Amino acid sequence: NIVYTDDYSKPDYNYPGQDWYKIGTDLNTKLAWSAPYVDPVAKITMITATANFVDANNTLQGVTTADMDLTSLQKNIGDIK
């Protein structure tokens, strides 16, 4: 499911200060993976893939991300006998 929320845009969330954002600012890395974490907005355990984007002068313009919910993976591992 795709869920839209403005909660990540609130000033108190401070997304540029989040680890998943910071790992994407390394211009020597095209794609970075976060450590698993509990997202404070969605209240689920997830990992984030972060990729940066730059202008013609190779100056960082921002990052884009994709989040993956680890709930089903955790359940599958927990069900292993």
Side-chain angles (χ1 to χ4, degrees):
N1 293 335
I2 296 173
V3 178
Y4 178 82
T5 180
D6 285 325
D7 290 348
Y8 298 101
S9 298
K10 294 179 179 177
D12 61 326
Y13 182 72
N14 184 29
Y15 67 87
Q18 303 294 323
D19 289 340
W20 56 261
Y21 186 94
K22 291 178 191 176
I23 62 173
T25 61
D26 179 357
L27 297 181
N28 296 315
T29 303
K30 293 294 180 195
L31 178 68
W33 291 90
S34 74
Y37 64 97
V38 176
D39 182 88
V41 174
K43 308 284 192 258
I44 58 173
T45 304
M46 64 174 57
I47 59 173
T48 300
T50 305
N52 58 52
F53 52 96
V54 298
D55 64 13
N57 295 316
N58 203 39
T59 302
L60 181 69
Q61 297 299 298
V63 303
T64 187
T65 64
D67 297 324
M68 281 132 285
D69 179 353
L70 295 178
T71 305
S72 59
L73 178 60
Q74 289 171 310
K75 182 183 178 322
N76 290 342
I77 291 171
D79 290 345
I80 294 174
K81 295 182 182 181

